[in-house]
Amino acid sequence: MTETTQTQTMQMTPPGGAKPRSPEFRLAADALRGLRQDLFHDAFAYRPLPRMRVDGPLTRRLPEAIREYVAWTPHAVVGAVGLLAMLSAYFGSDGSGDFGTLLCCLLVLIPVLLTLVRPVGAFWFSMAATPVVAVLRDSGGDRPWSTGSFVAQLTVLTVVALRTRPRTAAWMWALTAVYGFLADSLSSPGHFSTNTAPLLFVSALALLVVTVIHIRREAEQEVTAHQSETAHERSKRTLLEERTTIARELHDVVAHHMSVVAIQAEAAPYRVENPPPELEQAFVTIRENAVAALTELRRVLGVVRAEDYEAPDAPQPTLADLDALLANVREAGLSVEKAVTGAVRELPQGVELSAYRIVQEALSNTLRHAPGATARVEIGYVLGGLGLRIVNGPAPAAILVKSTHGAGHGITGMRERVTMLDGEMTAGETDDGGYEVTVFLPVPLPAAEEIG
């Protein structure tokens, strides 16, 4: 036990044999370090007051020419308060001479204006100018702050607190209190009436309001950042879910075709009487490659399936199933019509499935966001691809209510499908207040048509 205690004591002893510092000492050292950082380090650094933002709910309604001037409102308010402090110093002067009166006016005006460019330096200037104004105005009255110095010091504390962090404002208030109490103790008792307590009380109220403003502003910034992060994560999650859905559907489509290839390759030799050995071996090779590809496909894409996911029993939908989809949409209350142009032909199953899903999502968005509107689905079979256009008109004014259903990222899924097929897509509002989705999915021409 003795050896253990001695070892722990030696480990707690700082290097060099110095005595450990008490918590009170460390607290005082941290406080002095904060004071030096807030009020002494780069105290007169140039930090101009930025212009006010004019994108608020009220300012954005003003004309452009007026908004240019409204942006300078904070500077104008500080200048007006500086003039008020100067007038207070002028009318509170004891008439000691024109130069003394002018100097008092400048000494209370300069620190207020200095808050616009050097906020911490303005505090030190105001503290240094206060005793000078008190000496020039020595005919009695309130001490240690004259009327002009009172207004200037209160303005400087408030403006600098708005422009810095609350800890800096607390240090300035504490130094103001120390100066006030020292000036009161050094003054002749009964000769002057002190105004230290009123200044500290009013400035404390102002700093409290400023602190509440700072807290509210930080809370709004945190909420905005959280909302932006949440929206980004929701969009990312929706994109990943859509990619997972596409991967599942791709797995089903390709697996079906590879299974058909393997079965046909296995059955092909039995359809030919006395096939040559070379042909039999070729079909065996085809079947083996198809089975290997199918196994690899299931290994790679099968991981995207959820544990409770079951492959659909029915074939994946194609454009031939659009009539059933439109019938269901009409039963839900959406008036929709279909128009087909060009020579209808069978397209690759991936293109058919993606086209069906895009039309389905576009009509679902119409039901959610424009209930009661009319929609039109246009399908164009063109040379080298498939064109889609889904457009809906504006919702009737009587039931124009913004929907709160869905994650709001249906367009993301459609773009993902189009990108997968190297297609092009545009989506946006129409001139009459509706919405339009236009898609082109390229389809390579068969080799026979290319040769012809």
Side-chain angles (χ1 to χ4, degrees), residues 325-326 329 334 336 359-367 375 377 390:
L325 173 63
L326 299 182
V329 172
L334 179 64
V336 58
V359 174
Q360 185 182 39
E361 181 61 34
L363 294 179
S364 298
N365 288 341
T366 303
L367 284 172
V377 178
I390 306 96

Side-chain angles (χ1 to χ4, degrees), residues 22-100:
S22 64
E24 293 80 5
F25 179 85
R26 290 197 297 268
L27 183 62
D30 292 340
L32 291 177
R33 191 180 302 109
L35 174 63
R36 182 173 64 254
Q37 181 181 359
D38 292 340
L39 296 183
F40 292 95
H41 182 67
D42 291 336
F44 286 86
Y46 181 69
R47 302 168 185 170
L49 177 66
R51 295 192 299 171
M52 185 180 70
R53 297 178 58 180
V54 291
D55 56 352
L58 297 178
T59 54
R60 69 163 59 102
R61 300 180 181 179
L62 299 174
E64 186 67 26
I66 299 179
R67 279 191 291 177
E68 291 292 331
Y69 295 101
V70 172
W72 297 98
T73 300
H75 304 75
V77 172
V78 173
V81 177
L83 293 178
L84 176 62
M86 185 178 66
L87 292 176
S88 300
Y90 177 80
F91 289 109
S93 176
D94 60 351
S96 57
D98 293 337
F99 177 76

Side-chain angles (χ1 to χ4, degrees), residues 124-180:
W124 289 116
F125 192 97
S126 178
M127 292 292 293
T130 297
V132 177
V133 175
V135 171
L136 293 176
R137 180 185 169 275
D138 58 358
S139 61
D142 293 335
R143 284 293 184 96
W145 282 276
S146 65
T147 305
S149 297
F150 189 99
V151 176
Q153 184 71 7
L154 179 61
T155 304
V156 168
L157 286 175
T158 304
V159 175
V160 177
L162 283 170
R163 300 201 56 199
T164 56
R165 51 185 175 179
R167 190 181 73 176
T168 305
W171 278 119
M172 292 188 299
W173 187 87
L175 292 179
T176 302
V178 170
Y179 170 78

